Amino acid sequence: MPQVMTLNDAAERLVEVGRDFHRRGWALGTSGNFSVVIEREPLTLAITESSVDKSRLRPDQILRVDGNGKPLAGVTGKPSAETLIHVAIARARASGAILHTHSVWSTVLSDYHAGRAGFFIEAYEMLKGLSGVRTHDHREFLPIVENSQDMESLAKQVTSLMTEHPDLHGFLIRRHGLYTWGADLEEAVRHVEILEFLLESVGRRQMMEPERSF
Ligand SMILES: [Zn+2]
């Protein structure tokens, strides 16, 4: 298991990730939220503050929360509204980092395929960028969860989703965005890049032949 990052290293790197994802259109305005596990026992996350612009993220806007999503003593500022989802993923996967983006393609496809509660991404070379995938000949399931402002209920759905599908690399929330994670922050960043590429490819391909199922 990779070593956990310190709060300072995590904060510095998340600031860069925020600028990069904002520039690429994956976290415009105050959308998206990012976290890094900085301690496993007891579980402690460094997570982006609620409602902060990702293009101008500062290290002091990365806050420490406990395994229940509550800010640690001495923390000023309100952690991301979606903190409980990050905690649920950190627990279910023992992941080192969790990243959430609001791209156009994740928003569009999470709505288009919502009736089937998810869809498969199949036989693309870029799938090999997902951890443990060795060949393009792979079928990746991307589930879709209905959007809600009730974070406790969403976090519970995420926990059962991850128990049901142990091989997932990510999931979508309907008309909202993508969640993915990694053993460490760099793997989670790579998963965002790969999944965002695949979502755009699947979406554009589908527009060419809307009647065909992919
Ligand atoms: Zn969100």
Side-chain angles (χ1 to χ4, degrees), residues 31-33 80 82 100-102 147 151 173 176-179:
S31 72
N33 36 72
S80 162
E82 293 174 48
H100 170 51
T101 49
H102 285 202
N147 196 19
M151 290 307 147
I173 303 183
H176 179 159
L178 165 74
Y179 267 93

Side-chain angles (χ1 to χ4, degrees), residues 132-205:
V133 177
R134 305 265 174 264
T135 164
H136 69 281
D137 191 15
H138 170 79
R139 216 167 173 237
E140 180 73 21
F141 182 53
L142 206 55
I144 300 165
V145 179
E146 196 58 47
N147 196 19
S148 168
Q149 302 305 318
D150 179 347
M151 290 307 147
E152 281 188 25
S153 138
L154 255 185
K156 273 191 199 140
Q157 286 183 64
V158 165
T159 303
S160 46
L161 191 69
M162 298 188 87
T163 318
E164 260 172 63
H165 303 279
D167 296 334
L168 289 184
H169 291 90
F171 61 86
L172 300 175
I173 303 183
R174 187 179 185 188
R175 293 189 180 186
H176 179 159
L178 165 74
Y179 267 93
T180 185
W181 50 87
D184 57 22
L185 181 54
E186 297 320 312
E187 187 175 276
V189 168
R190 193 180 84 227
H191 284 169
V192 171
E193 290 190 337
I194 296 291
L195 288 169
E196 290 291 359
F197 175 94
L198 289 166
L199 287 168
E200 184 169 349
S201 300
V202 167
R204 286 181 184 270
R205 184 73 185 90

Side-chain angles (χ1 to χ4, degrees), residues 37 59 70:
V37 172
K70 299 269 179 273

Side-chain angles (χ1 to χ4, degrees), residues 4 37-45 65-68 72 91:
V4 292
V37 172
I38 53 168
E39 219 177 305
R40 295 198 185 274
E41 287 292 335
L43 184 62
T44 311
L45 273 69
V65 297
D66 67 16
N68 297 312
L72 256 58
R91 286 195 188 286

Side-chain angles (χ1 to χ4, degrees), residues 71-114:
L72 256 58
V75 168
T76 52
K78 190 172 165 287
S80 162
E82 293 174 48
T83 298
L84 285 179
I85 301 181
H86 287 249
V87 170
I89 297 170
R91 286 195 188 286
R93 283 290 183 276
S95 46
I98 297 109
L99 299 173
H100 170 51
T101 49
H102 285 202
S103 67
V104 170
W105 289 107
S106 64
T107 305
V108 169
L109 287 172
S110 65
D111 189 33
Y112 185 75
H113 290 287

